[in-house]
Amino acid sequence: MTRRWYTALGVNLLLGIPGVVPFWMLWYIASNWPLAELGLTRREPTENDGIMPALVLFGPVVLLYAVLWWMANRPLAARTALTARGFWLLSALATLLPTAALIANS
């Protein structure tokens, strides 16, 4: 029996709630180094340690979240009637919804 696409939607919406933290960490790294170097954002004035401490602190958290997200979605991907591309797109967008809601609400 195949699971419906809304099961994947619900699982990924729930995964998106704790996912706000790793997404913020990724934004912090991106906005303080590569985007600031390109002139698209402004670096935090107190951020003078370089990128390495941020990668050491944030890297394991982001990696752990990515592995848990993949492990939760892998069994669902095999059971849905969606194409692989459609499933992973739906999963990624559903996971980003709580972060998008926080950004829109601020």
Side-chain angles (χ1 to χ4, degrees):
M1 182 173 173
T2 62
R3 292 180 189 245
R4 306 279 183 207
W5 60 270
Y6 48 82
T7 303
L9 181 69
V11 166
N12 284 291
L13 277 172
L14 289 175
L15 284 171
I17 294 169
V20 170
V21 174
F23 293 136
W24 175 85
M25 291 175 171
L26 289 172
W27 170 251
Y28 184 83
I29 290 172
S31 68
N32 276 306
W33 288 282
L35 295 178
E37 292 296 322
L38 294 172
L40 299 174
T41 60
R42 190 174 294 186
R43 185 172 287 167
E44 288 285 328
T46 59
E47 186 57 64
N48 58 3
D49 293 332
I51 195 170
M52 190 52 95
L55 290 177
V56 168
L57 292 173
F58 295 167
V61 174
V62 173
L63 183 64
L64 177 66
Y65 179 77
V67 167
L68 289 174
W69 181 81
W70 181 78
M71 286 174 52
N73 279 298
R74 189 71 180 138
L76 291 173
R79 294 188 184 119
T80 59
L82 294 170
T83 63
R85 177 178 277 162
F87 174 81
W88 291 108
L89 180 64
L90 173 74
S91 298
L93 291 176
T95 304
L96 290 171
L97 269 175
T99 302
L102 278 177
I103 292 169
N105 218 9
S106 63

